[in-house]
């Protein structure tokens, strides 16, 4: 049985990264079962495939399309960047910011992530902001210190957090490794994130927090039942419609 947390809507978001589903985009969308039980589905494809996904999702109220990144600038001479306003203009509804691959492979710091989230929200996108510690930090007992630094950048980027903000807790050691966080670790860390957000915003901010990191049909049920987990951000397993459907089924 799924235990509901603060936010009624649960979300299951596919982060395709720099991949496409082997079965093809049209086939993938056609195979997606209609989400039940108030579940909202999301897909974040690589930039060039946003329009095709936006059209495929046009008749599906249970499916929203978003990007994996955006610029922290509105427009101008920033070669290779894509603005949040451009994403809104083609029908994207959310954007992932601060994914650990952006933070660690592309050097994005918490201040930049906070600015990106702010401009995304100001442009009408729902920011889905990822936070998470590396393995060494967890082993050193520094998980909360890392999360607080990341969340502080976010709070400072906004002043006040927008009501439509989504967070994703993605421990870096669990991303793409098959080494999923135990339900206890995920649940406890979600509680820590809520406590940090409350402290940094002087209370009153209720955020919805997704878990990400090696989520699969085999572990989704135990994770969602751990409490405090409002949905999932899924990488590898989101490239197969049958696996994605199987994960969605745990919310039903
Ligand atoms: P994974 O990726 O499910 O392949 O671990 C999750 C993510 O990076 O968002």
């Amino acid at each position: 049985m799924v235990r509901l947390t603060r936010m009624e809507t649960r979300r299951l978001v596919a982060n395709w990264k720099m991949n496409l589903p082997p079965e093809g985009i049209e086939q993938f969308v056609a195979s997606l079962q209609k989400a039940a039980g108030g579940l909202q589905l999301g897909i974040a494809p690589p930039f060039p495939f946003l329009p095709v996904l936006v059209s495929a999702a046009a008749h599906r109220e249970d499916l929203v399309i978003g990007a994996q990144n955006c610029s922290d600038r509105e427009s101008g001479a920033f070669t290779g960047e894509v603005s949040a306003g451009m994403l809104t203009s083609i029908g994207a509804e959310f954007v992932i910011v601060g994914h650990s691959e952006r933070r660690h492979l592309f050097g994005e710091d918490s201040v930049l992530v906070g600015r990106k989230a702010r401009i995304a929200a100001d442009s009408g996108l729902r920011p889905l902001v990822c936070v998470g510690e590396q393995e060494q930090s967890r082993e050193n007992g520094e998980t909360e210190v890392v999360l607080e630094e990341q969340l502080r950048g976010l709070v400072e980027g906004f002043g006040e957090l927008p009501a439509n903000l989504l967070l994703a807790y993605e421990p870096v050691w669990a991303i793409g490794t098959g080494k999923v966080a135990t339900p206890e670790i995920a649940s406890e860390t979600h509680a820590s994130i809520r406590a940090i957000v409350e402290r940094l915003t002087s209370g009153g901010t209720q955020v919805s927090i997704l878990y990400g990191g090696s989520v699969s049909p085999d572990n989704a049920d135990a994770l969602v039942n751990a409490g405090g987990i409002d949905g999932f951000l899924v990488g590898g397993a989101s490239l197969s419609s049958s696996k994605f459907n199987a994960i969605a089924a745990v919310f039903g």
Side-chain angles (χ1 to χ4, degrees):
M1 200 196 63
V2 173
R3 211 178 308 150
L4 277 182
T5 50
R6 301 164 184 228
M7 310 297 281
E8 286 292 318
T9 306
R10 281 86 46 83
R11 293 185 167 82
L12 175 60
V13 179
N15 174 11
W16 284 354
K17 311 192 180 185
M18 204 168 72
N19 300 299
L20 291 173
E23 66 202 86
I25 292 176
E26 281 82 4
Q27 183 58 41
F28 183 98
V29 175
S31 306
L32 277 192
Q33 271 149 27
K34 198 170 158 21
L39 181 68
Q40 175 86 73
L41 301 175
I43 302 177
F47 286 128
F49 302 95
L50 280 164
V52 67
L53 263 304
V54 167
S55 339
H59 304 295
R60 302 227 8 189
E61 285 188 357
D62 58 340
L63 178 61
V64 291
I65 305 304
Q68 299 172 14
N69 185 25
C70 68
S71 173
D72 65 322
R73 314 296 176 103
E74 265 176 42
S75 63
F78 302 108
T79 302
E81 293 288 274
V82 174
S83 76
M86 289 171 182
L87 296 171
T88 312
S89 75
I90 59 153
E93 293 187 53
F94 72 93
V95 61
I96 300 172
V97 285
H99 188 278
S100 73
E101 285 147 21
R102 301 294 324 166
R103 290 180 192 263
H104 299 297
L105 301 177
F106 297 96
E108 295 192 4
D109 65 22
S110 300
V111 173
L112 178 65
V113 171
R115 281 208 307 266
K116 287 184 174 202
R118 169 76 194 267
I119 201 161
D122 288 350
S123 306
L125 295 171
R126 182 190 288 276
L128 169 45
V129 180
C130 303
V131 295
E133 80 289 358
Q134 292 181 288
E135 190 152 40
Q136 193 64 52
S137 305
R138 179 154 288 271
E139 279 168 8
N140 295 346
E142 290 164 355
T143 299
E144 293 209 6
V145 176
V146 172
L147 295 173
E148 173 146 359
E149 189 276 330
Q150 294 174 341
L151 290 163
R152 192 179 289 281
L154 184 63
V155 171
E156 284 169 4
F158 278 107
E160 205 171 307
L161 294 179
N164 69 352
L165 176 74
L166 284 176
L167 293 179
Y169 169 55
E170 297 209 308
V172 180
W173 44 271
I175 295 177
T177 57
K179 212 168 142 186
V180 65
T182 62
E184 294 71 31
I185 288 182
S187 182
E188 269 168 33
T189 314
H190 281 218
S192 304
I193 291 171
R194 288 202 162 87
I196 296 168
V197 169
E198 268 180 48
R199 204 163 59 237
L200 292 177
T201 58
S202 334
T205 306
Q206 295 205 341
V207 280
S208 198
I209 310 176
L210 314 187
Y211 169 79
S214 296
V215 174
S216 76
D218 298 334
N219 54 39
D221 196 40
L223 282 165
V224 93
N225 281 310
I229 294 176
D230 301 312
F232 297 125
L233 178 56
V234 187
S238 76
L239 288 164
S240 144
S241 60
S242 64
K243 287 189 186 163
F244 200 62
N245 281 333
I247 296 170
V250 308
F251 294 95

